[in-house]
Amino acid sequence: MNSDKTLNTYCPECDREVDARLEHRTETLPVKGEPTSYDAEVAVCPCCGKAIGDSRIEEGNLRRAYSAYCAAHGLMAPDEVKELRNSYGLSLREFSKFLGFGEQTIARYESGAIPDDSHNTMLRLASSAEGAASLLSVRESQLSERTASAVRRFIKSKAPLTGLAAAFAAHQWPTPKMMMEPNCFNGFRPFDIERVTAVVCELASRCKDLYKTKLQKAIFFTDFLCYARTGRSMTGLVYAHADYGPVMDGKDLVIAALQSRGAIELSQKGWGEVVVPKCSPTGVLGDADIQLIAEASAFVNSFEIAKEISSFSHGLNAWKSAESGQPIDYTSNAEQVEVAIRRRMGR
């Protein structure tokens, strides 16, 4: 599509300065290894008709390609992230703290970086009144009164809260029936945030570079190994099938709750965030629990990178037998998980 806009630039084909006309064309650019079609702005020489590369428009094209990739994968685009933050009326630092991100993370996403799945989930959660209320319920103690007030105004500007959202706003931890009543999906132990806190702190102190994605696998293997040995899970957590392996059901809220309790913090490392323990809960876990966590940690540390342990989990019936987003049954899968751990560790 042609436009009346022009750009004064140099045409290497004609070897002279020209007023190139700006056109819009559909072009393809690889983004994260995936060919991505987007609406590109192209400078066209009026003399030879060749496209001219110019840094003044290439940056905008790159942003358009990233935005197209985000749209195709359900990820928030840079403009959407900025618009969301502005709707809260918060600074980059305040909004990052509310979401539990590293201080520079929001700045990177607003500048064009593509959000990872975990961060995208939190951003989507923060886009609704219900999600904002749930985040506020677990983070309010860490926020300034100004930030908390801004979040409340955002919530009020949306829809009235009902049901679970109202419970979040009243500072009640969400405990659906599947987590509260002993059953095959929580390993016949009611969800226990105290035990979750203690287990995560132990894993974070024993596992090398425990990125958030790696934590999902570490605690999954801990719980399923515990169930195979004792007939009960260690934490009462429910796990679900995700594209990159088993994950805690409600993982982002669990992590947010642990941060709110001062049990952990997330430290930026490379392109991800590492879980750092900030306390060592006592009187929650027994000696047998600690020994089992040590065994699970040694197993996790036998993988060089998080991607390797994710790939390992894809070979388990626990992951293969559940549909995407569906809970994983402890009773049908824990024995195979224990056998896989023993083989991996040469036992």
Side-chain angles (χ1 to χ4, degrees), residues 109-125:
Y109 292 155
E110 288 190 8
S111 297
I114 296 174
D116 64 28
D117 288 339
S118 177
H119 285 167
N120 186 68
T121 298
M122 296 296 277
L123 287 164
R124 293 292 185 195
L125 193 65

Side-chain angles (χ1 to χ4, degrees), residues 88 90 94-95 97-100 122 125-126 128-156 161 165-174 252-253 256-257 259-261:
Y88 275 86
L90 294 174
E94 291 169 326
F95 194 48
K97 192 162 188 178
F98 169 58
L99 294 174
M122 296 296 277
L125 193 65
S128 67
E130 292 84 357
S134 70
L135 290 172
L136 183 62
S137 73
V138 294
R139 295 205 192 281
E140 188 166 4
S141 63
Q142 301 176 3
L143 305 177
S144 68
E145 181 52 39
R146 179 193 180 284
T147 301
S149 296
V151 175
R152 292 190 197 99
R153 284 195 298 272
F154 173 87
I155 295 170
K156 190 174 181 180
L161 299 181
F168 274 129
H171 305 278
Q172 298 173 15
W173 178 256
D252 294 313
L253 287 178
Q259 289 178 283
S260 179
R261 294 163 68 89

Side-chain angles (χ1 to χ4, degrees), residues 6-22:
T6 61
L7 178 71
N8 184 259
T9 186
Y10 171 77
C11 176
E13 189 74 22
C14 299
D15 192 22
R16 66 172 181 171
E17 192 174 285
V18 297
D19 288 324
R21 68 179 182 276
L22 296 179

Side-chain angles (χ1 to χ4, degrees), residues 3-326:
S3 73
D4 295 330
K5 293 172 60 178
T6 61
L7 178 71
N8 184 259
T9 186
Y10 171 77
C11 176
E13 189 74 22
C14 299
D15 192 22
R16 66 172 181 171
E17 192 174 285
V18 297
D19 288 324
R21 68 179 182 276
L22 296 179
E23 298 181 358
H24 283 268
R25 301 176 180 175
T26 299
E27 295 201 351
T28 300
L29 186 73
V31 179
K32 288 195 169 185
E34 179 180 313
T36 303
S37 296
Y38 68 102
D39 180 34
E41 190 171 50
V42 181
V44 179
C45 176
C47 301
C48 67
K50 299 286 187 180
I52 303 171
D54 191 293
S55 61
R56 289 171 291 179
I57 59 175
E58 291 311 314
E59 183 177 345
N61 283 335
L62 187 61
R63 287 176 67 89
R64 292 186 191 95
Y66 279 16
S67 293
Y69 178 90
C70 288
H73 292 271
L75 303 172
M76 290 193 77
D79 291 344
E80 292 179 292
V81 175
K82 189 171 185 177
E83 182 179 345
L84 176 61
R85 179 174 65 82
N86 287 338
S87 69
Y88 275 86
L90 294 174
S91 67
L92 287 166
R93 173 178 290 187
E94 291 169 326
F95 194 48
S96 292
K97 192 162 188 178
F98 169 58
L99 294 174
F101 294 176
E103 190 172 320
Q104 298 302 315
T105 304
I106 292 296
R108 289 194 298 106
Y109 292 155
E110 288 190 8
S111 297
I114 296 174
D116 64 28
D117 288 339
S118 177
H119 285 167
N120 186 68
T121 298
M122 296 296 277
L123 287 164
R124 293 292 185 195
L125 193 65
S127 300
S128 67
E130 292 84 357
S134 70
L135 290 172
L136 183 62
S137 73
V138 294
R139 295 205 192 281
E140 188 166 4
S141 63
Q142 301 176 3
L143 305 177
S144 68
E145 181 52 39
R146 179 193 180 284
T147 301
S149 296
V151 175
R152 292 190 197 99
R153 284 195 298 272
F154 173 87
I155 295 170
K156 190 174 181 180
S157 71
K158 299 291 183 178
L161 299 181
T162 59
L164 185 58
F168 274 129
H171 305 278
Q172 298 173 15
W173 178 256
T175 49
K177 186 175 181 180
M178 188 184 295
M179 299 177 76
M180 284 303 295
E181 296 181 359
N183 59 69
C184 64
F185 296 116
N186 61 21
F188 295 96
R189 181 190 293 275
F191 173 77
D192 188 333
I193 188 61
E194 297 296 336
R195 291 182 70 84
V196 173
T197 301
V199 172
V200 170
C201 287
E202 281 290 332
L203 288 170
S205 67
R206 294 170 181 272
C207 296
K208 180 182 178 183
D209 292 339
L210 191 63
Y211 287 93
K212 287 196 298 183
T213 53
K214 197 173 183 180
L215 169 63
Q216 304 300 318
K217 309 305 171 292
I219 196 166
F220 164 81
F221 281 108
T222 300
D223 262 332
F224 272 66
L225 182 60
C226 184
Y227 182 87
R229 300 271 177 84
T230 69
R232 294 180 81 192
S233 66
M234 193 174 291
T235 67
L237 281 166
V238 176
Y239 295 90
H241 174 119
D243 289 345
Y244 50 94
V247 298
M248 294 183 283
D249 196 29
K251 58 186 174 62
D252 294 313
L253 287 178
V254 172
I255 291 174
L258 297 181
Q259 289 178 283
S260 179
R261 294 163 68 89
I264 64 169
E265 68 178 25
L266 300 178
S267 177
Q268 194 74 32
K269 185 167 185 178
W271 289 101
E273 292 176 313
V274 175
V275 179
V276 179
K278 301 303 291 182
C279 68
S280 181
T282 58
V284 179
L285 303 174
D287 291 342
D289 294 326
I290 299 296
Q291 180 57 42
L292 192 146
I293 293 171
E295 186 177 340
S297 298
F299 164 75
V300 171
N301 287 333
S302 72
F303 297 90
E304 289 293 325
I305 56 177
K307 186 176 181 180
E308 290 180 356
I309 194 170
S310 292
S311 297
F312 182 90
S313 70
H314 289 177
L316 299 173
N317 289 338
W319 183 78
K320 293 190 291 187
S321 62
E323 297 294 329
S324 180
Q326 295 302 304

